Amino acid sequence: MFAAVAAAGFAVLAGWAAPAASGQQARNPQSEGFALTILDRLGDSGGPADTSVSIGADGRALISYYDGSKGDLKVAHCRNNACKGASTTVIDQVGDVGRWNSIAIGADGLGLVSFYDATNGDLKVAHCQNAACTDAQSTTIDTEGGPSSIAVGTDGLGLIAYEGSAGLRVAHCSDLDCSTAAISIVDVVEGDPHPSIAIGTDGLGLISYANRTEDNPRLDVAHCTDVACSTATIGTPVPAFLEPVTSITIGGDGLGLISAADIDSNLAVTHCSDLACSTGTFSYLGIDLVRAASITTGADGLGLVSTVKGDAQGLYVAHCLDVTCSSATSTSVDPSIFAAGHTSITVGVDTFPLITYYDDSDLKVAHCPSSTCVPRR
């Protein structure tokens, strides 16, 4: 319906004509071939629960997550492709640390985790000392912090987009450990931008974020002008009032693909029209009550979005049917979870998606039965 929103424009605050939800009926995930595993029982959460997943150099998933009951940052290292078990390690426990974490695999093959230190209001980075991240070295990168997202640039160094008091900031790590970083303010933003970063096919950072100004709410994208992202050009592919959390990936056509929820909690995906994402097309995917979403690119080059629905309606995955994600299939993965935080999705070495999420106070992982996350019949 909104495949040409960016070009046509619309009355943002008048309400969006979102299509009715069309998610599939909930079925028993285990009978459909999904492998659902509890990795850690965390107890009563003391704050927002966040998780991020990436595939390590050893081919196994490495998962960062926040233990709200203790205020600790943890990492789980999966034992196999399906992550039917994992070793878990506390990698930072000084104060209340670990919220809004994000993980990437560095050029040295080791995990690099950006996260928020709520006790001091800082942005911190933990560099794993081995593939399983049983030990890590934490460093304060900025004395102002907030929700962050990390990627590894073409120079092999970490690039972190995060929220600061002046708006959207980027930290470019000076070494593999990220012991220090160069800080840039790339945009002044109102509200909570909750940025997400990916490295484009031009080798430059591409950052999606919500800019929630009262008179001009919108989805903005910052396109870095150099590998350090010392400056960026700002595009507005969608003028709309969005929930703050966005997620970005680079699609099979080499252009950005961004998941977000509108103000009525309907899931939508924006497909960038150029490398800088100065404009884009926008499509609803028929999933409502969205509380959290994460996007990646599947083995077929098409988008995959993991979505946590409210009212205990479970975890879903949407598989885009074309590169612009103008439509998608919707599959129930875990139908009756009590959501308590974010979700993260990646693709394993077996080409099957792997999803991390929370069920009440448990950290869980779902391994899909196919590369599209649609059950075989």
Side-chain angles (χ1 to χ4, degrees):
M1 175 174 291
F2 278 82
V5 164
F10 59 99
V12 173
L13 299 181
W16 295 9
S22 58
Q24 296 181 5
Q25 268 310 127
R27 296 178 295 272
N28 183 343
Q30 300 290 5
S31 69
E32 299 287 359
F34 291 95
L36 309 181
T37 305
I38 296 174
L39 296 184
D40 200 352
R41 295 188 181 275
L42 301 173
D44 293 335
S45 176
D50 307 294
T51 179
S52 179
V53 61
S54 192
I55 302 300
D58 59 0
R60 302 180 192 176
L62 199 61
I63 303 162
S64 61
Y65 60 108
Y66 174 60
D67 182 345
S69 65
K70 297 182 176 66
D72 294 342
L73 174 67
K74 291 184 172 182
V75 165
H77 180 243
C78 295
R79 294 180 183 144
N80 48 46
N81 287 344
C83 202
K84 293 183 178 180
S87 61
T88 62
T89 304
V90 176
I91 61 172
D92 198 329
Q93 56 185 342
V94 181
D96 182 0
V97 292
R99 298 184 187 185
W100 301 315
N101 58 78
S102 178
I103 193 168
I105 306 302
D108 57 2
L110 302 178
L112 201 60
V113 186
S114 63
F115 60 100
Y116 179 59
D117 178 345
T119 299
N120 299 298
D122 298 339
L123 173 73
K124 297 183 75 174
V125 173
H127 178 245
C128 298
Q129 302 298 294
N130 51 52
C133 204
T134 56
D135 185 31
Q137 178 179 337
S138 293
T139 304
T140 297
I141 295 300
D142 195 347
T143 54
E144 292 187 26
S148 68
S149 177
I150 191 169
V152 174
T154 53
D155 59 358
L157 302 177
L159 196 64
I160 308 163
Y162 62 104
E163 184 179 315
S165 62
L168 177 66
R169 297 185 174 207
V170 174
H172 178 243
C173 297
S174 58
D175 51 34
L176 293 176
D177 295 347
C178 205
S179 57
T180 60
I183 309 298
S184 302
I185 299 173
V186 298
D187 196 11
V188 176
V189 182
E190 291 187 28
D192 301 318
H194 280 264
S196 179
I197 190 170
I199 304 300
T201 52
D202 57 1
L204 302 176
L206 198 63
I207 307 165
S208 64
Y209 55 103
N211 198 338
R212 307 178 82 193
T213 61
E214 283 190 23
D215 58 342
N216 185 25
R218 58 196 186 270
L219 170 69
D220 278 349
V221 175
H223 179 239
C224 300
T225 58
D226 53 39
V227 293
C229 205
S230 57
T231 60
T233 60
I234 309 299
T236 302
V238 177
F241 198 92
L242 303 172
E243 295 297 334
V245 181
T246 70
S247 180
I248 190 169
T249 188
I250 305 301
D253 60 357
L255 301 176
L257 207 57
I258 305 164
S259 66
D262 71 9
I263 194 62
D264 295 318
S265 300
N266 298 299
L267 180 66
V269 166
T270 297
H271 175 254
C272 298
S273 59
D274 52 40
L275 290 177
C277 205
S278 58
T279 60
T281 57
F282 177 93
S283 303
Y284 282 110
L285 300 189
I287 299 178
D288 61 2
L289 298 175
V290 173
R291 295 293 177 267
S294 174
I295 193 168
T296 192
T297 300
D300 57 3
L302 304 179
L304 286 160
V305 188
S306 63
T307 302
V308 173
K309 294 184 65 173
D311 295 346
Q313 292 199 27
L315 176 73
Y316 282 72
V317 170
H319 173 245
C320 299
L321 297 178
D322 54 51
V323 291
T324 66
C325 204
S326 60
S327 62
T329 61
S330 173
T331 302
S332 171
V333 177
D334 194 346
S336 59
I337 64 171
F338 181 78
H342 292 171
T343 177
S344 183
I345 186 170
T346 191
V347 174
V349 294
D350 58 359
T351 76
F352 293 175
L354 195 70
I355 307 160
T356 59
Y357 60 106
Y358 288 85
D359 185 355
D360 197 1
S361 56
D362 296 336
L363 175 73
K364 297 178 75 172
V365 65
H367 181 251
C368 292
S370 69
S371 59
T372 61
C373 216
V374 175
R376 296 190 179 98
R377 289 176 175 79

